[in-house]
Amino acid sequence: MSSALIIDGHPDARSLTAELARRYATAHGDARILALRDLEFDPSLRFGYRERMQLEPDLVDAKRALAEAATVVVFTPLWWGSVPALLKGFFDRALLPQQEYRYSTLGLPEGLLPARNGRLFLLADTPWFLTPFTGLPAQTHVARGTLRFCGIRSVRTTRMLGVKDASPARIESWLSRAESLGRRDGLRDRANGAGGSQAIAAEAASSSVVATS
C-alpha cells in the first residue's frame, strides 16, 4: 500500500503530463501511479445510475487504492475546457454512490474517501493572460466537483499554462516544481503515518448504486 495515489489522466505516456506524474511520484518516495491509459475498463456509464455496471478488475483495484491513499493527486491536461474523456470516464465509473460519496437525509453530499490531502496538476496550452476570459472550468470540475465532493478536504492546484509555446527552461522549471511538491508531500505523508483509515468492502464490485439522473 502506498501513501499517495497518482492518477495520470493523459492517454499518451510520452506527454509532459505523464512525465510530471512520474517525477512527482519518484520524489514522493511512497507513491503509486495509476496511469489510466493502461487500465482496461469501459469509460462510459452506459445506464447512468439506474442500472449497475459490473466493475472490471482494474477498476476494483483502483477503487481499493483510492480507499487506502492518504493523498490523491491528479495530473491532467485541459482539453476543450474539460479533462480528457479517459479521465472523465474513470471518474464516472469509479466514483459511485454509497461507496465514494453519499447523500445525507437532508440531501447534502458526504464524501467517503479517507484521504486528507489532494493535488491537481492542470496543464493547458492557454496562456495565463487569457484565463480571465476563458476561465479554467476543469479546475473547478476536478478539485471541487470531484475530489472535494468525495471527501478530500484539502485540494491544492498547480497550473501550468502556455504549454504549447513553453521554452525548454520553462518546462524544466515545471518538472522541478513537481519534484519539489512530491518531495514535500512525501515528508508530510510519512510524518503523518502512511495508510488510509477505510477499506473497500469485499462486495464493492457487486453492490448496487442509487438510482438517480
Side-chain angles (χ1 to χ4, degrees):
M1 178 179 64
S2 301
S3 62
L5 180 66
I6 315 303
I7 300 174
D8 174 1
H10 203 296
D12 188 356
R14 301 165 298 177
S15 65
L16 176 59
T17 301
E19 180 60 20
L20 286 162
R22 288 189 287 265
R23 294 286 188 100
Y24 176 97
T26 299
H28 185 283
D30 184 31
R32 173 187 173 181
I33 296 180
L34 191 68
L36 301 187
R37 58 185 168 271
D38 296 333
L39 307 188
E40 293 186 7
F41 70 99
D42 183 351
S44 177
L45 193 62
R46 297 189 176 275
F47 312 111
Y49 293 101
R50 289 188 175 86
E51 182 179 335
R52 175 185 58 82
M53 291 178 66
Q54 188 71 27
L55 290 175
E56 296 87 343
D58 281 349
L59 284 186
V60 174
D61 176 65
K63 285 163 69 68
R64 182 177 297 111
L66 279 167
E68 294 174 346
T71 296
V72 176
V73 185
V74 176
F75 286 81
T76 181
L78 180 138
W79 290 350
W80 292 107
S82 187
V83 299
L86 179 64
L87 179 57
K88 180 59 168 63
F90 175 77
F91 289 153
D92 287 348
R93 292 292 318 284
L95 304 177
L96 299 175
Q98 312 307 320
Q99 296 179 24
E100 285 72 35
Y101 70 93
R102 66 189 175 201
Y103 289 97
S104 70
T105 55
L106 297 177
L108 300 176
E110 298 178 347
L112 300 178
L113 289 180
R116 286 182 285 180
N117 299 289
R119 281 194 186 276
L120 168 63
F121 285 81
L122 182 64
L123 287 78
D125 288 339
T126 306
W128 66 267
F129 54 82
L130 289 181
T131 55
F133 305 98
T134 62
L136 290 172
Q139 178 176 331
T140 301
H141 164 207
V142 177
R144 184 182 303 172
T146 303
L147 298 183
R148 288 181 184 168
F149 186 91
C150 289
I152 303 174
R153 295 183 294 276
S154 174
V155 182
R156 298 181 179 180
T157 299
T158 299
R159 300 183 297 184
M160 298 171 177
L161 308 178
V163 173
K164 181 178 63 174
D165 298 319
S167 66
R170 182 64 169 158
I171 291 173
E172 187 56 41
S173 73
W174 287 335
L175 293 169
S176 297
R177 177 65 171 162
E179 291 176 336
S180 176
L181 292 174
R183 192 173 303 111
R184 181 189 306 174
D185 291 350
L187 290 172
R188 180 202 62 214
D189 290 346
R190 285 188 289 275
N192 291 338
S197 59
Q198 179 178 336
I200 291 181
E203 66 273 16
S206 60
S207 61
S208 59
V209 298
V210 173
T212 184
S213 61

